[in-house]
Amino acid sequence: MKKLHLVLMLAFVFGCFLQSCNDGKTYAELKEEEADAINAFLAKNDIEVISEEEFLRDTVTKENQYVLFDDNGVYMNIVQRGVGEKLGDGSYEIHSRFMEIALQDRTELFASGDTLLANMHWNDYPAAQTEAENFRRDVSGDSYSATFMDRAKMASYNESAAVPSGWLVPIPFLKISRTPEESKVSRVKLIVPHSQGTMMASQYVYPCFYEITYNLGR
């Protein structure tokens, strides 16, 4: 009973904190605004959305075509599948380059369209592995987890070693390799809702657009 009381108290405090950080709006209102921001981004960029059922027929997305995953709300466009193999069970070190753009205003933090964080430098691709976001992904059947390694920019910015869940959604559909060639690297574009994003996104309830590459490490 004491544990239940503690959980309820923590939920209440977190809910109050969310409201104080977002002009007193309810969580439901914030989620509705987030959905509006995503829909506006889709319309502005003339993005075609397909269902998982359509996508799973050949696991290919055309240019400017995104698949919407119903269970997590992530939108994904596969730019380049890669030239390696699909990752099975085991532990993998993955190096990623990325760009994160806010899709919604958070007046106290940033405006919609702001690039929040990035380590993509295509003019000198690939940069040294120390400049990439390095994380370890462990897979066992349907269970998986991923944590940032070293001094990752995202880990420092996010104040957490946990890799955003949205970053992991594309991996089962890619063929990730160790090749450094830009034309062969696994690469995706994502629209990630707050629930699958960083701790900041979860706290302030906003979606982000990402462009991410994936390379195998050691």
Side-chain angles (χ1 to χ4, degrees):
M1 192 68 171
K2 289 183 178 179
K3 289 184 178 179
L4 177 60
H5 180 70
L6 178 60
V7 170
L8 291 174
M9 284 295 294
L10 288 173
F12 174 76
V13 170
F14 182 67
C16 291
F17 180 71
L18 273 178
Q19 289 193 18
S20 66
C21 290
N22 293 285
D23 300 325
K25 295 176 181 175
T26 67
Y27 182 55
E29 290 173 328
L30 293 170
K31 285 179 65 178
E32 185 175 346
E33 289 181 355
E34 177 184 50
D36 290 342
I38 291 175
N39 289 331
F41 180 82
L42 295 172
K44 179 179 178 180
N45 293 279
D46 197 27
I47 291 173
E48 177 190 0
V49 179
I50 62 173
S51 66
E52 283 186 71
E53 183 180 359
E54 292 174 275
F55 170 70
L56 292 175
R57 291 172 191 162
D58 53 18
T59 61
V60 171
T61 53
K62 302 173 185 176
E63 185 176 357
N64 223 39
Q65 182 185 71
Y66 286 62
V67 53
L68 169 60
F69 294 96
D70 293 327
D71 61 337
N72 53 43
V74 172
Y75 295 77
M76 177 185 73
N77 171 263
I78 298 176
V79 180
Q80 293 173 176
R81 191 179 301 277
V83 295
E85 300 292 333
K86 290 187 177 181
L87 304 186
D89 285 4
S91 183
Y92 301 91
E93 184 178 322
I94 297 177
H95 303 300
S96 285
R97 311 298 295 277
F98 76 98
M99 175 173 59
E100 178 189 51
I101 298 175
L103 296 188
Q104 190 175 2
D105 284 359
R106 281 291 173 259
T107 307
E108 69 278 26
L109 300 172
F110 48 77
S112 178
D114 279 0
T115 299
L116 304 184
L117 204 61
N119 69 352
M120 277 191 171
H121 307 291
W122 295 112
N123 57 326
D124 64 344
Y125 188 91
Q129 295 292 18
T130 54
E131 295 183 16
E133 293 294 283
N134 304 325
F135 63 89
R136 183 166 296 282
R137 180 178 185 262
D138 299 300
V139 184
S140 178
D142 293 332
S143 176
Y144 61 87
S145 62
T147 53
F148 286 115
M149 304 162 59
D150 308 321
R151 294 181 179 179
K153 286 185 179 180
M154 177 58 77
S156 298
Y157 161 77
N158 194 34
E159 298 183 352
S160 172
V163 178
S165 299
W167 282 37
L168 307 179
V169 170
I171 292 178
F173 307 103
L174 303 177
K175 296 182 177 180
I176 303 173
S177 72
R178 290 182 173 83
T179 179
E181 295 180 43
E182 181 183 344
S183 62
K184 296 180 180 179
V185 169
S186 299
R187 182 175 172 185
V188 301
K189 295 179 181 179
L190 302 173
I191 301 170
V192 178
H194 76 282
S195 58
Q196 300 293 310
T198 64
M199 286 185 65
M200 284 283 287
S202 295
Q203 177 180 328
Y204 289 95
V205 191
Y206 63 84
C208 284
F209 169 84
Y210 288 96
E211 187 164 355
I212 307 177
T213 67
Y214 303 84
N215 275 98
L216 279 181
R218 294 184 293 275

